[in-house]
Amino acid sequence: MTVPAAEPAARPTGEPLVVLSDVNKHFGSLHALKDIDLTVHRGEVVVVIGPSGSGKSTLCRTINRLEPIDDGSITIDGEELPQEGKELARLRADVGMVFQSFNLFAHKTVLENVTLGPIKVRGLSRADAETEARRLLDRVGVGHQAEKYPAQLSGGQQQRVAIARALAMDPKVMLFDEPTSALDPEMIKEVLDVMVELAEQGMTMVVVTHEMGFARTAAHRVVFMSDGAIVEENTPEEFFGNPRSERARDFLSKILQH
């Protein structure tokens, strides 16, 4: 796979929004995250890549405490993530999450899926929530599907609904955990197009993906992980054009040949 050259995204100059400091995570004897230090600035798009089992998804899931950490600290907009309770729920509402599997409620319509969080968590009226949900569904190109159920939609459409659902909470940062890996090839582009548009509009994003074209075109920074550690991070043009570590060079030589 050859990746076309792209104009690098302009680096944002916003203040730190997500800060991971000396974060460690174990699953039994597996040291899944090793002394992770990562700062994501407001308006920045950080793409996390690396081989399977390198800790990418675990890193993503610790940012809103779907995975608790063993030690270190994670702050969102200056506030440290609490362990549990209402404060965690409040902070978690600031962090949108889009998963590999769409995680939509099968028994609710598309519109109901998108309005549920704003009504239950943000306290919006149903009328206001529905107005905003329809705007967001139009924004991601599935407004005409609002009254359907998830099973009536293609995978690509379901994932775009999932993005609208996350956006409906008005998050400060969006996390994407391999959002296209469950999709057929022709559906990948429609989801990536929505993500590129979000990036261009200034959404702060942390994206775990195998889509190197997206990393090239939309990322301000590429973070390469291996064996639970951040091995290197750089601009896309520097990372893809001149990787510094042997591990990254080996990884890129395998994936960019196809």
Side-chain angles (χ1 to χ4, degrees):
M1 179 188 74
T2 56
V3 180
E7 288 294 314
R11 180 68 182 271
T13 55
E15 68 273 19
L17 181 62
V18 179
V19 180
L20 290 82
S21 181
D22 204 22
V23 168
N24 284 273
K25 169 71 179 176
H26 293 79
F27 293 106
S29 61
L30 173 66
H31 197 171
L33 294 178
K34 302 173 182 173
D35 303 320
I36 297 292
D37 290 308
L38 179 66
T39 298
V40 181
H41 295 83
R42 196 179 300 275
E44 187 177 22
V45 178
V46 173
V47 172
V48 184
I49 65 173
S52 295
S54 59
K56 309 183 298 294
S57 290
T58 303
L59 171 69
C60 195
R61 291 167 66 87
T62 61
I63 294 175
N64 67 350
R65 270 211 199 280
L66 282 176
E67 291 291 354
I69 59 176
D70 296 331
D71 53 57
S73 70
I74 301 173
T75 59
I76 309 289
D77 207 7
E79 293 189 69
E80 188 160 353
L81 281 178
Q83 295 288 344
E84 55 190 23
K86 286 187 176 179
E87 283 302 297
L88 176 59
R90 182 180 63 79
L91 268 181
R92 208 179 250 165
D94 290 334
V95 183
M97 183 105 191
V98 178
F99 300 88
Q100 176 178 340
S101 53
F102 322 121
N103 289 8
L104 299 173
F105 290 110
H107 63 289
K108 292 185 180 294
T109 65
V110 164
L111 186 64
E112 289 168 341
N113 266 279
V114 178
T115 57
L116 187 65
I119 292 170
K120 295 279 191 188
V121 180
R122 294 289 196 202
L124 262 65
S125 69
R126 183 169 302 280
D128 287 346
E130 287 190 358
T131 298
E132 179 64 3
R134 289 185 188 279
R135 185 186 72 80
L136 290 168
L137 290 167
D138 284 340
R139 181 175 169 186
V140 300
V142 289
H144 58 298
Q145 311 282 10
E147 312 305 331
K148 291 186 178 178
Y149 289 88
Q152 297 173 279
L153 274 56
S154 71
Q157 289 170 331
Q158 289 187 61
Q159 194 60 296
R160 285 185 281 158
V161 171
I163 292 172
R165 179 183 58 182
L167 290 172
M169 296 297 287
D170 193 24
K172 294 177 179 178
V173 56
M174 287 276 283
L175 310 178
F176 293 85
D177 186 8
E178 301 199 12
T180 59
S181 58
L183 298 177
D184 293 334
E186 69 270 21
M187 295 176 190
I188 290 174
K189 183 179 184 301
E190 65 189 53
V191 173
L192 291 178
D193 284 348
V194 170
M195 293 169 61
V196 167
E197 191 174 307
L198 281 178
E200 289 172 346
Q201 292 167 354
M203 174 60 74
T204 309
M205 296 163 63
V206 178
V207 183
V208 174
T209 186
H210 295 289
E211 298 295 331
M212 296 302 128
F214 177 83
R216 270 242 163 108
T217 55
H220 300 106
R221 187 161 34 125
V222 174
V223 171
F224 176 72
M225 292 186 70
S226 181
D227 299 318
I230 294 176
V231 177
E232 67 176 281
E233 50 185 298
N234 215 326
T235 61
E237 54 273 28
E238 278 295 314
F239 178 78
F240 288 106
N242 187 29
R244 294 192 298 254
S245 64
E246 185 62 39
R247 188 72 189 84
R249 284 194 291 272
D250 178 59
F251 175 77
L252 288 172
S253 72
K254 288 173 179 169
I255 62 164
L256 296 181
Q257 283 173 353
H258 300 299

